């Protein structure tokens, strides 16, 4: 990271007004360029398909991230950019019910129109209109906040794009490589014994520090009593997960939550998402292509149910979101290390990644056993953006730590990601915990 990159951080909202706007404009144009770079390495057919209901076609992400600025910044100013805007409003609204009806998520891949070319034109129009707004020097504080949120939103979609691209290319009968990109580096991770970090009981502060950007679900900052615990000092690797499978892990109902066992039976689950057996040998699909399973790499793309069953098999448990946050908060530099997270300003797409510290920060999202629920005192705002997080606080679990596909400057210890317990197309992994 160069010193200049730091100025691209849209969360530096404490700077003076002009400097802040310049910084935000640079961050805006950079994030728009980077999203297009991620898709530039795909064939046009890859941009359109939707192989699962929860996967979105890349062209939809390109459009939706533009719609976000169109809907929440330009339309309130009567600056709708295109005669197509009413149609695009219907097609590219994801889930904001306050903004009217929208096309079904599960059917995004049904649409060949608008074309990729039309969507790219829409992107250019929206980018240009937002840049014009900056240059007109008429942005209000509220509009600046919404644009900052739009930048963070597009960064989230950059990670979603990589998840969806991996699913699209990895589910071909002959999986395709995403250029030469790597996700987990196959060479640099050393094998080492699992160690345990100990923390005694204490009262600690949790949640977002208000000096920087945060989502509403990270607030309010509050104190909690934490009992003594042990946290594994690295993620579980493929070799250890293979031992679980060999020991009948997927055939022993006593290891599974009831819903998890039903999920295994119904879907005939027997291994992580991107593992496949060829001629008696296990292989794993990484974005760089199919390769022999590396026992030293962290096991990835597993569900909460699998992570929970594995923890029970190890006579351990999954950590709470607060146990992981407590550890990450101890070392503020943990999320600013050179190797943590891919850097949109320096790379066309994520580069090979190794464990960036002794704690494996930034490799895989870590499942916690914390239900995704509101912090004490949490209230959704009475605006359209109030739909961003709060309404999903049911039947999902919190994940912490970030992953190889998370853009740099998008992570912090208080960040709360969340998925359904059966989801495993995100870059997820396992960290264990124990009671003291
Ligand atoms: Fe979105």
């Amino acid at each position: 990271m160069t010193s200049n990159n730091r100025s691209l951080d849209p969360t530096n909202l404490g700077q003076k007004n002009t400097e802040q706007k310049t910084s935000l404009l640079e961050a805006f144009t950079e994030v728009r360029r980077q999203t297009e770079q991620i898709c530039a390495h795909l064939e046009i057919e890859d941009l359109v398909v939707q192989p699962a209901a929860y996967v979105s076609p890349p062209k939809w992400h390109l459009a939706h991230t533009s719609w976000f600025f169109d809907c929440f910044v330009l339309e309130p100013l009567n600056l709708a950019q295109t005669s197509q805007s009413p149609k695009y409003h219907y097609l590219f609204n994801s889930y904001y019910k306050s903004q009217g009806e929208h096309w079904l998520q599960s059917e995004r891949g049904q649409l060949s129109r608008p074309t990729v070319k039309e969507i790219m034109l829409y992107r250019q129009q929206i980018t240009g209109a937002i840049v014009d707004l900056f240059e007109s020097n008429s942005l209000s504080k509220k509009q600046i906040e919404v644009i900052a949120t739009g930048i963070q939103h597009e960064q989230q979609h950059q990670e979603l794009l990589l998840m969806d691209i991996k699913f699209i290319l990895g589910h071909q009968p002959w999986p395709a490589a995403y250029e030469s990109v790597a996700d987990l580096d196959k060479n640099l991770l050393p094998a080492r014994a699992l160690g345990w970090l100990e923390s005694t009981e204490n009262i600690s502060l949790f949640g977002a520090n208000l000096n920087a950007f945060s989502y509403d679900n990270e607030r309010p900052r509050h104190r909690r009593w934490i009992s003594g615990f042990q946290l594994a000092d690295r993620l579980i690797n493929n070799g250890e997960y293979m031992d679980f499978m060999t020991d009948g892990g997927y055939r022993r109902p006593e290891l599974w939550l009831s819903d998890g066992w039903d999920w295994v039976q119904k879907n005939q689950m027997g291994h992580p998402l991107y593992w496949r057996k060829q001629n008696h040998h296990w292989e794993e699909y990484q974005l760089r292509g199919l390769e022999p399973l590396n026992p030293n790499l962290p096991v990835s793309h597993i569900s909460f149910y699998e992570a929970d069953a594995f923890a029970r098999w190890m006579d351990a448990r999954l950590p709470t979101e607060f146990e992981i946050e407590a550890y990450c908060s101890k070392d503020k530099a943990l999320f600013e290390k050179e190797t943590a997270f891919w850097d949109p300003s320096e790379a066309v797409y994520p580069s090979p990644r190794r464990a960036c510290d002794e704690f494996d920060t930034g490799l895989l999202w870590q499942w916690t056993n914390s239900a995704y629920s509101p912090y004490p005192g949490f209230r959704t705002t009475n605006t359209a953006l109030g739909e961003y997080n709060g309404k999903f606080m049911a039947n999902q679990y919190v994940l912490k730590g970030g992953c190889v596909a998370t853009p740099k400057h998008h992570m912090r210890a208080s960040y709360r990601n969340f998925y359904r317990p059966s989801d495993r197309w995100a870059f997820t992994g396992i960290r264990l915990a124990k009671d003291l």
Side-chain angles (χ1 to χ4, degrees):
M1 183 178 80
T2 64
S3 57
N4 185 45
N5 296 138
R6 193 69 211 166
S7 69
L8 299 183
D9 185 348
T11 64
N12 289 341
L13 296 179
Q15 300 172 32
K16 287 184 181 163
N17 228 6
T18 308
E19 195 182 331
Q20 178 188 337
K21 282 182 188 170
T22 305
S23 170
L24 197 65
L25 175 59
E26 287 177 5
F28 170 76
T29 53
E30 181 63 11
V31 83
R32 300 290 287 168
R33 183 192 70 77
Q34 184 61 29
T35 304
E36 290 158 24
Q37 283 287 355
I38 290 171
C39 296
H41 302 278
L42 298 172
E43 299 297 337
I44 200 146
E45 291 84 354
D46 301 325
L47 293 166
V48 182
V49 295
Q50 183 177 22
Y54 48 84
V55 170
S56 293
K59 82 168 191 180
W60 183 86
H61 290 287
L62 288 164
H64 166 71
T65 49
S66 302
W67 169 83
F68 190 96
F69 291 106
D70 199 4
C71 178
F72 297 119
V73 180
L74 299 173
E75 280 195 12
L77 297 170
N78 293 317
L79 291 174
Q81 284 307 295
T82 163
S83 59
Q84 301 299 320
S85 277
K87 278 192 214 165
Y88 288 2
H89 191 77
Y90 176 68
L91 293 174
F92 303 133
N93 175 5
S94 49
Y95 54 67
Y96 296 88
K97 307 302 180 193
S98 64
Q99 299 302 304
E101 293 189 355
H102 57 80
W103 186 252
L104 286 175
Q105 176 180 0
S106 58
E107 295 183 13
R108 290 170 184 165
Q110 303 282 340
L111 304 176
S112 60
R113 303 300 173 101
T115 62
V116 172
K117 192 195 262 183
E118 288 166 329
I119 285 172
M120 293 310 291
L121 178 62
Y122 179 53
R123 275 190 72 82
Q124 288 167 15
Q125 289 172 319
I126 298 302
T127 301
I130 297 290
V131 170
D132 287 347
L133 263 186
F134 274 101
E135 289 174 354
S136 71
N137 214 20
S138 60
L139 282 170
S140 67
K141 184 167 179 291
K142 182 69 199 162
Q143 287 159 345
I144 285 173
E145 285 174 5
V146 176
I147 291 172
T149 302
I151 292 168
Q152 297 279 330
H153 169 256
E154 186 146 346
Q155 287 181 322
Q156 284 184 317
H157 276 273
Q158 289 176 348
E159 179 171 331
L160 284 164
L161 262 170
L162 288 164
M163 288 160 53
D164 291 349
I165 288 168
K166 187 166 183 177
F167 196 95
I168 289 166
L169 298 182
H171 278 76
Q172 313 287 327
W174 290 272
Y178 176 61
E179 290 284 307
S180 60
V181 74
D183 41 36
L184 294 169
D185 190 313
K186 61 183 172 184
N187 299 315
L188 297 178
L189 284 167
R192 58 184 168 94
L194 195 66
W196 296 90
L197 307 159
E198 206 165 289
S199 179
T200 53
E201 60 185 15
N202 65 86
I203 295 175
S204 298
L205 269 170
F206 296 96
N209 181 333
L210 292 181
N211 293 331
F213 180 90
S214 61
Y215 288 113
D216 57 356
N217 63 358
E218 301 165 56
R219 306 188 296 260
R221 194 161 163 79
H222 62 285
R223 290 179 199 283
R224 278 177 188 260
W225 170 261
I226 304 294
S227 299
F229 65 95
Q230 288 182 307
L231 202 57
D233 68 350
R234 64 161 170 79
L235 302 175
I236 294 303
N237 63 36
N238 284 334
E240 289 158 338
Y241 199 81
M242 182 68 83
D243 290 343
F244 165 73
M245 286 167 48
T246 306
D247 196 35
Y250 283 92
R251 301 189 302 275
R252 294 169 53 183
E254 73 272 18
L255 296 174
W256 296 79
L257 294 167
S258 177
D259 282 356
W261 183 247
D262 290 348
W263 173 81
V264 167
Q265 299 303 303
K266 184 179 170 195
N267 299 289
Q268 294 295 295
M269 291 298 179
H271 55 78
L273 177 62
Y274 289 114
W275 291 22
R276 58 168 72 184
K277 208 168 192 177
Q278 297 274 42
N279 303 322
H280 308 292
H281 295 288
W282 283 102
E283 296 179 330
E284 183 175 26
Y285 176 70
Q286 304 275 4
L287 276 170
R288 60 182 165 257
L290 205 55
E291 57 191 36
L293 186 73
N294 181 338
N296 293 335
L297 282 182
V299 63
S300 59
H301 295 284
I302 57 156
S303 66
F304 169 85
Y305 294 136
E306 289 165 304
D308 178 81
F310 178 87
R312 195 164 291 109
W313 178 73
M314 286 281 285
D315 199 23
R317 61 170 171 80
L318 296 180
T320 68
E321 62 172 305
F322 305 105
E323 288 166 346
I324 296 182
E325 185 172 331
Y327 184 82
C328 292
S329 299
K330 280 182 190 167
D331 181 359
K332 289 198 177 356
L334 212 55
F335 287 90
E336 294 182 1
K337 293 197 175 174
E338 292 295 316
T339 50
F341 312 111
W342 65 284
D343 189 343
S345 63
E346 292 179 358
V348 174
Y349 37 69
S351 54
R353 193 61 43 79
R354 57 172 295 168
C356 57
D357 57 52
E358 69 285 358
F359 196 59
D360 286 356
T361 310
L363 287 180
L364 295 168
W365 287 103
Q366 298 153 42
W367 282 109
T368 75
N369 64 12
S370 298
Y372 178 50
S373 58
Y375 282 171
F378 172 83
R379 295 280 183 279
T380 51
T381 58
N382 197 22
T383 63
L385 288 177
E387 295 189 57
Y388 204 106
N389 285 306
K391 72 180 187 180
F392 300 110
M393 290 176 173
N395 306 320
Q396 310 211 43
Y397 283 85
V398 174
L399 299 97
K400 300 288 281 189
C403 75
V404 287
T406 307
K408 206 165 190 170
H409 301 319
H410 193 68
M411 282 308 306
R412 52 199 166 268
S414 61
Y415 200 104
R416 305 176 81 200
N417 201 354
F418 52 91
Y419 282 101
R420 293 176 297 267
S422 59
D423 286 339
R424 54 184 200 167
W425 94 114
F427 291 76
T428 53
I430 308 173
R431 186 183 301 282
L432 298 180
K434 290 181 179 178
D435 299 319
L436 260 190

